Amino acid sequence: MKSNLIGYIKRKSLLYKTAVEYGDYTINHIQGCSHGCIYPCYAMLMARRFGKVATYEEWLRPKIVENAVELLTKEIPRHKTKIKFVHFCFSTDPFMYGYKEIEELSVKLIKMLNEAHIKCTALTKGCLPVELARLSDDNEFGITLVSLDEKFREKNEPFSASYKERIGCLYKLHKSGIKTWVSIEPYPTPNIIQQDFDDILNAISFVDKIIFGKMNYNAMVSKYAGYKEYFNLLSEKVINFCRKNNKIYHIKEGTITK
Ligand code: SF4
């Protein structure tokens, strides 16, 4: 059923190899993102640069790739032997908050890939649905979490799921035996928000993996005296926390500097 809240586009291809540092293959079956992050969102900057959307308001109105299932059916056999895993998504959010139709399509595409024995990972600022626990045990599902302060979220990730709901959905998957992770990125400096980093680590202490990265493309970061040392210190905290608690970690390129 087509919703009048979203638009539809057709694409010629779907699966592609990404150059993103922790990626392999990826899929972007939606254009735009209703979460409307203002850090700014790199995906929106790129979409504007390449003329896919003209304004922030247009970015907020997601468009579903209506031939996504058809494309994936053709592309899985073609790429299958080269794929280690498929990430959902680097240029949009696969579980946009309040968009059931997007959620259903994302689950369907993950299921198709799993049936071809391809592992999937996903990252969201929405709520991960519990149906994901019925798919392959190899999958890994994550949320982005850079604060626990709802005022910060309302200002910077205005239409995303609340932090409490986001963590709650992830915890349910963890309790169902699914591998979970958190991306603490793009992490802000104290002149953007004063907060206790340990509180964030403790709130997600159940996850299997943590990715940490500094905030980019925001002029406020370099205005914070000692921002390089600040990110070095937090990276070290993440590494120590993960080593102590037996978790996998990844510190994004450029976050630790000499
Ligand atoms: S959730 Fe991700 S893709 Fe969506 S607006 Fe925020 S940063 Fe951009």
Side-chain angles (χ1 to χ4, degrees), residues 46-226:
M46 289 302 106
R48 287 180 76 162
R49 182 190 284 185
F50 294 107
K52 288 186 179 159
V53 297
T55 61
Y56 174 72
E57 289 67 31
E58 193 184 340
W59 175 254
L60 286 181
R61 290 192 298 273
K63 292 192 180 88
I64 285 186
V65 175
E66 61 182 353
N67 57 337
V69 171
E70 191 187 319
L71 287 172
L72 199 59
T73 306
K74 283 189 207 144
E75 292 177 7
I76 287 175
R78 209 181 299 152
H79 297 287
K80 198 177 159 176
T81 54
K82 294 170 278 176
I83 300 175
K84 288 193 207 103
F85 66 96
V86 176
H87 180 68
F88 287 63
C89 308
F90 285 115
S91 299
T92 184
D93 192 307
F95 295 103
M96 248 171 256
Y97 191 56
Y99 284 78
K100 197 71 190 160
E101 192 177 343
I102 290 175
E103 176 185 309
E104 283 169 2
L105 179 60
S106 298
V107 172
K108 190 169 186 173
L109 300 179
I110 293 171
K111 200 169 170 209
M112 285 172 71
L113 288 157
N114 285 171
E115 280 165 0
H117 307 289
I118 298 169
K119 167 184 166 172
C120 294
T121 63
L123 183 66
T124 187
K125 290 191 185 84
C127 186
L128 289 158
V130 78
E131 295 97 283
L132 293 171
R134 292 196 282 273
L135 306 182
S136 166
D137 290 347
D138 290 338
N139 295 333
E140 297 175 18
F141 297 112
I143 57 165
T144 301
L145 192 78
V146 296
S147 179
L148 295 172
D149 183 332
E150 277 301 302
K151 285 202 184 87
F152 176 86
R153 184 192 66 77
E154 282 162 17
K155 186 173 166 211
N156 293 281
E157 307 165 356
F159 310 111
S160 62
S162 73
Y163 292 137
K164 201 173 166 196
E165 192 172 353
R166 218 183 283 182
I167 297 168
C169 292
L170 188 70
Y171 186 67
K172 274 191 203 153
L173 288 183
H174 162 75
K175 289 303 276 179
S176 308
I178 297 298
K179 290 186 208 88
T180 56
W181 57 292
V182 164
S183 171
I184 310 180
E185 198 217 357
Y187 197 76
T189 40
N191 57 336
I192 298 172
I193 180 172
Q194 292 271 358
Q195 57 184 1
D196 189 338
F197 191 66
D198 292 338
D199 289 346
I200 298 175
L201 291 179
N202 291 330
I204 48 92
S205 60
F206 60 89
V207 299
D208 302 288
K209 180 168 79 181
I210 298 176
I211 291 181
F212 178 66
K214 69 183 173 81
M215 186 173 273
N216 293 306
Y217 320 108
N218 186 316
M220 289 291 283
V221 171
S222 53
K223 284 189 183 139
Y224 180 70

Side-chain angles (χ1 to χ4, degrees), residues 33-37 39 41-44 59 91-93 125:
C33 180
S34 64
H35 291 158
C37 304
Y39 320 117
C41 164
Y42 180 74
M44 185 191 74
W59 175 254
S91 299
T92 184
D93 192 307
K125 290 191 185 84

Side-chain angles (χ1 to χ4, degrees), residues 187-190 197 212 214 221-237 254-258:
Y187 197 76
T189 40
F197 191 66
F212 178 66
K214 69 183 173 81
V221 171
S222 53
K223 284 189 183 139
Y224 180 70
Y227 72 96
K228 288 185 179 169
E229 293 76 15
Y230 179 69
F231 287 124
N232 286 346
L233 181 77
L234 295 193
S235 301
E236 204 180 303
K237 270 195 182 213
T255 300
I256 298 178
T257 46
K258 300 286 171 208

